[in-house]
Amino acid sequence: MIRAIMHGCNGHMGQVITGLAAEDGELEIVAGIDLSDHIKNAYPVFKTLEECDVEADVIIDFCSAKAVDGLLAYSVEKKIPVVVCTTGLSEAQVEKVREASASVAVLKSANMSLGINMLLKLLKEAALTLAPAGFDMEIVERHHNQKVDAPSGTALALADSMNEALDHGYSYKYDRSKERMKRSKAEIGISAVRGGNIVGEHEVIFAGTDEVIEFKHTAYSKAVFAKGALEAAKFLAGKPAGFYDMSDVIG
């Protein structure tokens, strides 16, 4: 049985992962870390990682960006692999994630959904075939009205996936409202919609002459990210130092 520490256990995602792990036959949460103690869990909860004296094989992180620096330092010191699911990291913190991976196994991905990460792989193949044939590439992403960033990190990851396959020959276009010109062939358009309580929708459109091909992923609840985090933790436990992402998990 893989032993995991849940960093941010009493947050929404921490509780979703706790529930899924209780039904998982391969991974058990043996300790949690959270400043809040308003929820009683089946495992001991510590206010800081430094207070935690429970042995573990992997850490799952769904906390806050301000806690990531301490998390990485702890992971490196204890040589415990860590799945970093927290978003909104600064460029300096992303660099620290890379630095930590030289000493311990670290997995970070723009989106923990298994479906999204399979889509990333499919889009590379589609772009290699369709872009040279003259297909225009557009992305439309939709999220709830509380999301503050636009476009989403996942939309950018989808664009990056296609662009990497095409040797980074495309630029990204976020707003055409101030331009009066024909669409460039060497661009990927990205549009953001914010409304209601949409968990997450990403649609990738390949528009050619007389035909359109669409790829779409819809998340109906945040449980899809929790499931991916669990699979990532099971994959990462016991791995040597290095930087991993969800493509390694589904590979």
Side-chain angles (χ1 to χ4, degrees):
M1 182 71 75
I2 296 170
R3 302 164 298 175
I5 293 173
M6 185 66 237
H7 188 239
C9 63
N10 287 339
H12 175 71
M13 290 303 299
Q15 284 299 292
V16 174
I17 292 174
T18 294
L20 291 174
E23 301 173 356
D24 192 289
E26 300 177 53
L27 181 145
E28 175 188 10
I29 297 179
V30 294
I33 310 297
D34 207 296
L35 290 174
S36 173
D37 60 359
H38 68 289
I39 296 176
K40 299 301 180 183
N41 295 285
Y43 47 79
V45 177
F46 304 88
K47 288 188 178 297
T48 67
L49 280 163
E50 290 69 28
E51 296 175 23
C52 181
D53 57 359
V54 180
E55 294 187 359
D57 305 302
V58 65
I59 303 170
I60 304 173
D61 164 61
F62 255 115
C63 196
S64 65
K66 62 183 180 181
V68 166
D69 290 1
L71 167 70
L72 293 173
Y74 180 87
S75 176
V76 169
E77 178 188 351
K78 301 295 184 180
K79 293 295 185 287
I80 304 176
V82 57
V83 179
V84 180
C85 303
T86 296
T87 58
L89 304 188
S90 66
E91 291 185 9
Q93 287 179 308
V94 172
E95 182 57 32
K96 286 184 178 181
V97 171
R98 290 283 185 179
E99 292 173 358
S101 70
S103 302
V104 67
V106 179
L107 188 148
K108 186 182 184 308
S109 189
N111 188 305
M112 299 306 296
S113 160
L114 294 173
I116 281 289
N117 283 278
M118 179 57 70
L119 180 57
L120 289 169
K121 293 182 65 176
L122 294 173
L123 288 178
K124 287 185 177 181
E125 183 175 354
L128 282 172
T129 300
L130 299 175
F135 282 71
D136 297 321
M137 297 178 290
E138 294 283 321
I139 298 172
V140 180
E141 57 99 340
R142 304 174 181 88
H143 284 87
H144 52 85
N145 57 22
Q146 300 301 303
K147 187 173 180 62
V148 297
D149 59 316
S152 69
T154 298
L156 292 173
L158 295 171
D160 288 345
S161 179
M162 295 186 291
N163 209 2
E164 287 171 9
L166 299 167
D167 295 325
H168 301 279
Y170 284 69
S171 61
Y172 301 159
K173 181 71 70 175
Y174 306 112
D175 182 11
R176 295 192 178 94
S177 65
K178 298 179 181 179
E179 296 182 356
R180 300 290 293 179
M181 64 178 63
K182 182 180 176 181
R183 183 193 194 281
S184 168
K185 279 294 182 182
E187 71 181 40
I188 299 174
I190 306 177
S191 303
V193 176
R194 297 289 175 267
N197 63 347
I198 301 171
V199 175
E201 292 182 7
H202 293 86
E203 183 178 9
V204 182
I205 303 165
F206 290 87
T209 302
D210 298 329
E211 61 180 334
V212 175
I213 300 170
E214 299 180 10
F215 293 82
K216 184 177 181 180
H217 177 273
T218 301
Y220 292 102
S221 80
K222 292 185 177 181
V224 299
F225 311 121
K227 291 175 183 177
L230 280 179
E231 292 304 314
K234 288 187 279 188
F235 165 84
L236 200 64
K239 287 290 188 296
F243 184 82
Y244 303 85
D245 62 26
M246 288 298 289
S247 66
D248 297 305
V249 178
I250 66 174

